[in-house]
Structure formats: structure tokens, C-alpha cells
């Protein structure tokens, strides 16, 4: 039996829509232009943060595998490098009350939640993604200065055949959005101002 | 001979259809408000930024791309700085969450480290904010299509009317004030007639609004 090209095309389109969607988040990494916080900070990037990956299996929207591909960690490295006077990547064990190692404080960024919506689920005409970050800042004797939750949000219109690209773009915008909030607001927070005052001996 | 006539008829019908598809009708209305005199030196540039909101209505990137393309071509081309590069170069100050909402915010923004220097380096004289979107305001008719192993076909008629409404707000970075506003409203009705194959007759009000707004913006900045 000869298979008609049109039927074959329909079959291929159907199979493509059912297959698992693998997304690798890529895109430009801007360097923020903000006033530096006058502090030397050790930053611990956990393995989970550096290679964050989100998987969802849903009968409604199919299987999704979203790999942040290091883009998230690279972005935050650039962000913190430009926000603080000096930063250095450290190990989790370096955060202790015995030896500050010359740091004024320690920072641990985490991804607490990630989620996305397709137009099929939300009923809206665009794809959206949100990321909840948690920043934990400790002073030089490892006591907590601040635990701050920041939610980044991004959206993209996408196209009929561009749902993977739309989710990738929305995710990247969510990372940027959270980064913008952190870059602008962290230095203005009362806890940070008080920490800096203590550090200066005031 | 019969085959030649048949081919000729086919091409004639095909050409006619192409004209219909490309030349759907959209009407545009443009309004302008000017608060100061403007001008743009040859080496100076402008940047077009689409207003982003977290609601459903957001200026499409394709619209600002269309305007940038239209402004940078023609008799008196304008140097249009890339929107993506601008947002990266001035990160985080033009992200949706924190972008300036009025020209008065510019003074506060220019105090931030590096902002004024980068604007000067890139020779950007104007920021033009584009707000608006294209929405479907009416539709009707019915069309049904069938696909089977033997092939497929459509029968019926449907139409939809779209309204493309956009506003450009021009900020003069040299004088740090709003130079004026231009708004455009385009409407158009598109049709699809299904006679075995669907024949679209598309009006493109978004495209009409883009061209109308770009032409008026060029006149606004350079003078007529």
C-alpha cells in the first residue's frame, strides 16, 4: 500500500506534538550597572543551583525537560560580581563561625520553585514562566542577616510551532526579572544597611 | 493548445488570488501631539522600546521590529539602536519591572552609575516607547474542513475584523523631557472563502499601523 505524502505529513506533525520537549535555556547575559555594595562576600553556588533542571510529565501538555544549562548560575555570578565590591566562590564548609576567611559575609542563592504555563493551561495568549529564588545572607560569624525570597516572571507570545522556544525565552526573561529586582533592591534593604553600618563600626 | 490555455488560466487565477491575499484592505488614522521642536543629527540615533506589561496586552516584538526596519530605510534613514542590545547595555534599568514610566523618571535614572556615559557613547538622542497591540474585535461565518486518506477540502466562508491601536511617546534625552506623542489606529477585515481550497483575503492592520506610525515618526523627528 502506498502512503500518501499528505497523510505522512499529518502523522509526523501528530508524532512531533506528542514527543518530549527538551529545552536548553540560552541567551545573552547582561552585566548590571548598579552601585556596588561595599562588602567582600563569599558565595556558595550549590550543585543543584549550578545545574538546575526541571522535569514535568503531564497528560495535558506532554513531557517537558527544561535544562537551565548553567545559564542561571553564570548570570548570577555576573550579577553578584557587579553588585559587591569583591566576590569569591566558596565551599559550603567555608561558612562557619570559626574563621571568616576575610569575608564580610556569605551569600547562598537557591532556586525554590520553577513553573511555567502554556496558553492551553492558562487560557491566555502567551507562554509564561516564573522562578522563586531564595537569597540567604550570613555575616562573617555565620549568623543570618537576611533570607529573601524573590520571584522572577517572564512571558513570551510564541507561535504555533514554537512552544519550546517560547518557554525558553519566558524562562530567560524570568531570570532577568529576578536579577533586576535583586540588583536594584538588595542594597536598599534595611537588613543590608544595618549590616553595612555594623561592619563600618557604626 | 488546450493544455496551454489551461496553464494560462491557472496562472491568471493564481496571480489574481495572490493579489487578493496580499492586498487586503486596512484603513489607518494618525494623530500627533508635539510639545517641543525636534531634530536629529546624522550621527545621532534613537531606540524603540516596546512597553511590556504583565497582562495579556503587550506590544509585540514583531511590531517594534517592523517599525525599526521601516525607519532605517527609505529616503531619510534614521539610525535605530537595537532594542535587545539597549536592554542588555542598560540592564537592569529597562526591564519591565523597573523601566521608567515618565520622562520625569529620566533625571533619576541618569544619576545611576554609568547610564549617562553609555547614552553619550552610543549617541542616542531619543527613546521612543511603543504601546499598544492588535486585537480581534469581531468575527463570524462558518467554514468546515475535512481531512481523510483520500485528501481534504474546505467549504464555507468566515471573516474577522482586527483593530491595531498603537501609541509612540518620544523622549528627548538631551533635554530630558517628553517631545510629544503620535498615535495610530488601523482597522481591517480579513476573509477566508473555502471552495475546496481555502482562499484567504487578508487585511493586515498591524502592518498598516506600523507603516503609518513609522512614516509619521520620521516626519516628527526630521521635519517634513
Amino acid at each position: 500500500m502506498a502512503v500518501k505524502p499528505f497523510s505522512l505529513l499529518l502523522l509526523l506533525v501528530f508524532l512531533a506534538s506528542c514527543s518530549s520537549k527538551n529545552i536548553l535555556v540560552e541567551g545573552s547575559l547582561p552585566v548590571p550597572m548598579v552601585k556596588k555594595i561595599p562588602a567582600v562576600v563569599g558565595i556558595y553556588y550549590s550543585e543543584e543551583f549550578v545545574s538546575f533542571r526541571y522535569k514535568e510529565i503531564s497528560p495535558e501538555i506532554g513531557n517537558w525537560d527544561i535544562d537551565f544549562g548553567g545559564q542561571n548560575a553564570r548570570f548570577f555570578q555576573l550579577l553578584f560580581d557587579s553588585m559587591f565590591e569583591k566576590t569569591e566562590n566558596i565551599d559550603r564548609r567555608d561558612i562557619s563561625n570559626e574563621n571568616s576567611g576575610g569575608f564580610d559575609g556569605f551569600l547562598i542563592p537557591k532556586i525554590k520553585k520553577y513553573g511555567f504555563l502554556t496558553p492551553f493551561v492558562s487560557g491566555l495568549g502567551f507562554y509564561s514562566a516564573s522562578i522563586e529564588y531564595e537569597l540567604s545572607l550570613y555575616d562573617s560569624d555565620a549568623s543570618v542577616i537576611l533570607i529573601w525570597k524573590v520571584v522572577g516572571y517572564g512571558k513570551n507570545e510564541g507561535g504555533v510551532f514554537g512552544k519550546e522556544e517560547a518557554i525558553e525565552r519566558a524562562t530567560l526573561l524570568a531570570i532577568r526579572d529576578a536579577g533586576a529586582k535583586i540588583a536594584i533592591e538588595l542594597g536598599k534593604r534595611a537588613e543590608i544597611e544595618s549590616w553595612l553600618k555594623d561592619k563600618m563600626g557604626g | 493548445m488546450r493544455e496551454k490555455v489551461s496553464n494560462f488560466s491557472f496562472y491568471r487565477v493564481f496571480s489574481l488570488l495572490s493579489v487578493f491575499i496580499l492586498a487586503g484592505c486596512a484603513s489607518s488614522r494618525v494623530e500627533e501631539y508635539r510639545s517641543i521642536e525636534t531634530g536629529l543629527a546624522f550621527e545621532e540615533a534613537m531606540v524603540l522600546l516596546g512597553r511590556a506589561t504583565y497582562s495579556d496586552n503587550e506590544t509585540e516584538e514583531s511590531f517594534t521590529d517592523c517599525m525599526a526596519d521601516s525607519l532605517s530605510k527609505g529616503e531619510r534613514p534614521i539610525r535605530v539602536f537595537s532594542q535587545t542590545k539597549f536592554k542588555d547595555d542598560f540592564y537592569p534599568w529597562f526591564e519591565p519591572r523597573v523601566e521608567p514610566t515618565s520622562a520625569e523618571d529620566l533625571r533619576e535614572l541618569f544619576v545611576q552609575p554609568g547610564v549617562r556615559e553609555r547614552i553619550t557613547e552610543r549617541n542616542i538622542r531619543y527613546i521612543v516607547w511603543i504601546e499598544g497591540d492588535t486585537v480581534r474585535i469581531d468575527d463570524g461565518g462558518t467554514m468546515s474542513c475535512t481531512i481523510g486518506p483520500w485528501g481534504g477540502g474546505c467549504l464555507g466562508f468566515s471573516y474577522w475584523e482586527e483593530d491595531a491601536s498603537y501609541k509612540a511617546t518620544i523622549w528627548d534625552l538631551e533635554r530630558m523631557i517628553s517631545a510629544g506623542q503620535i498615535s495610530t489606529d488601523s482597522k481591517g477585515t480579513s476573509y477566508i472563502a473555502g471552495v475546496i481550497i481555502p482562499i484567504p483575503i487578508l487585511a493586515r492592520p498591524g502592518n498598516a499601523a506600523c507603516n503609518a506610525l513609522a512614516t509619521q515618526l520620521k516626519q516628527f523627528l526630521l521635519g517634513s
Side-chain angles (χ1 to χ4, degrees):
Chain A
M1 191 183 87
V3 180
K4 293 193 175 184
F6 185 67
S7 306
L8 189 65
L9 184 70
L10 275 179
L11 183 70
L12 285 173
V13 169
F14 176 73
L15 288 174
S17 66
C18 295
S19 64
S20 174
K21 284 121 191 127
N22 297 308
I23 296 171
L24 178 63
V25 178
E26 290 173 317
S28 60
L29 295 170
V31 180
M33 282 197 303
V34 283
K35 196 176 163 191
K36 282 185 187 285
I37 296 171
V40 180
V41 175
I43 302 172
Y44 171 63
Y45 297 100
S46 66
E47 186 51 38
E48 193 194 352
F49 187 81
V50 171
S51 50
F52 184 82
R53 204 166 182 153
Y54 177 83
K55 290 184 182 183
E56 182 166 330
I57 299 166
S58 158
E60 285 174 328
I61 56 168
N63 302 345
W64 292 78
D65 182 357
I66 300 161
D67 182 359
F68 279 37
Q71 195 76 343
N72 178 62
R74 279 192 292 275
F75 174 80
F76 273 85
Q77 187 136 21
L78 284 173
L79 181 76
F80 293 138
D81 285 356
S82 60
M83 280 178 65
F84 292 100
E85 194 177 284
K86 194 180 170 195
T87 63
E88 201 174 298
N89 293 2
I90 56 163
D91 193 85
R92 184 74 177 89
R93 286 166 298 186
D94 294 336
I95 304 172
S96 71
N97 58 2
E98 288 163 8
N99 179 16
S100 70
F103 294 110
D104 298 316
F106 304 100
L107 186 63
I108 305 177
K110 277 183 196 159
I111 295 177
K112 299 294 280 183
K113 284 180 203 161
Y114 170 81
F116 69 90
L117 288 173
T118 64
F120 177 77
V121 175
S122 66
L124 299 169
F126 52 84
Y127 295 81
S128 60
S130 65
I131 310 170
E132 184 183 305
Y133 291 96
E134 185 183 87
L135 298 185
S136 305
L137 183 68
Y138 303 87
D139 69 9
S140 52
D141 62 6
S143 50
V144 178
I145 298 169
L146 164 81
I147 292 180
W148 186 31
K149 283 183 180 165
V150 179
V151 179
Y153 179 79
K155 66 177 201 169
N156 189 268
E157 285 169 34
V160 180
F161 298 107
K163 55 177 83 166
E164 287 91 344
E165 198 187 328
I167 293 291
E168 187 212 335
R169 183 93 186 114
T171 304
L172 193 68
L173 290 176
I175 296 173
R176 286 178 68 122
D177 184 48
K181 187 174 169 71
I182 293 166
I184 293 170
E185 290 182 19
L186 183 67
K188 293 178 184 168
R189 290 190 69 93
E191 300 95 325
I192 301 291
E193 282 177 357
S194 160
W195 168 56
L196 292 175
K197 210 180 267 180
D198 287 349
K199 187 175 83 68
M200 303 291 276
Chain B
M1 182 66 190
R2 179 175 284 178
E3 198 176 310
K4 273 188 184 173
V5 170
S6 161
N7 276 347
F8 176 71
S9 302
F10 172 76
Y11 286 123
R12 204 162 54 174
V13 169
F14 183 76
S15 306
L16 202 63
L17 282 178
S18 305
V19 168
F20 268 126
I21 291 165
L22 293 171
C25 188
S27 60
S28 299
R29 189 167 54 87
V30 180
E31 285 174 14
E32 181 185 300
Y33 161 74
R34 177 188 290 275
S35 54
I36 54 162
E37 282 304 309
T38 50
L40 193 69
F42 177 72
E43 67 280 3
E44 288 177 330
M46 57 164 284
V47 61
L48 286 168
L49 298 175
R51 271 276 181 222
T53 63
Y54 290 130
S55 66
D56 200 0
N57 303 329
E58 179 174 308
T59 308
E60 308 92 345
E61 208 174 318
S62 57
F63 188 84
T64 46
D65 287 349
C66 167
M67 277 198 69
D69 194 46
S70 185
L71 286 161
S72 56
K73 285 179 182 167
E75 262 184 43
R76 295 183 294 170
I78 291 177
R79 189 163 74 86
V80 182
F81 198 85
S82 153
Q83 175 174 213
T84 311
K85 184 151 177 25
F86 183 85
K87 286 192 169 183
D88 279 358
D89 287 355
F90 291 89
Y91 184 81
W93 302 108
F94 288 88
E95 293 301 296
R97 187 194 284 267
V98 294
E99 65 190 16
T101 51
S102 71
E104 286 71 43
D105 294 346
L106 282 175
R107 288 179 199 282
E108 202 179 313
L109 178 64
F110 271 55
V111 175
Q112 300 302 329
V115 173
R116 184 184 288 277
E117 292 77 10
R118 285 195 185 184
I119 290 281
T120 309
E121 272 169 29
R122 286 151 185 78
N123 215 346
I124 298 168
R125 172 72 191 273
Y126 297 101
I127 289 178
V128 179
W129 289 99
I130 308 293
E131 280 174 83
D133 59 358
T134 302
V135 291
R136 186 177 288 203
I137 51 174
D138 190 22
D139 54 28
T142 52
M143 177 162 1
S144 58
C145 297
T146 311
I147 299 169
W150 44 269
C154 296
L155 194 67
F157 174 81
S158 74
Y159 71 92
W160 64 96
E161 189 180 1
E162 285 179 315
D163 182 11
S165 186
Y166 293 89
K167 182 174 77 179
T169 306
I170 302 115
W171 290 358
D172 186 338
L173 300 184
E174 201 175 271
R175 292 193 239 179
M176 302 274 215
I177 51 172
S178 173
Q181 277 186 350
I182 303 167
S183 60
T184 180
D185 192 46
S186 300
K187 280 182 184 161
T189 307
S190 302
Y191 307 91
I192 290 187
V195 189
I196 302 177
I197 56 160
I199 303 163
I201 303 166
L202 301 177
R204 295 194 290 171
N207 211 38
C210 158
N211 290 326
L213 199 56
T215 306
Q216 195 66 24
L217 181 60
K218 212 179 234 188
Q219 276 182 19
F220 185 95
L221 295 175
L222 304 176
S224 50

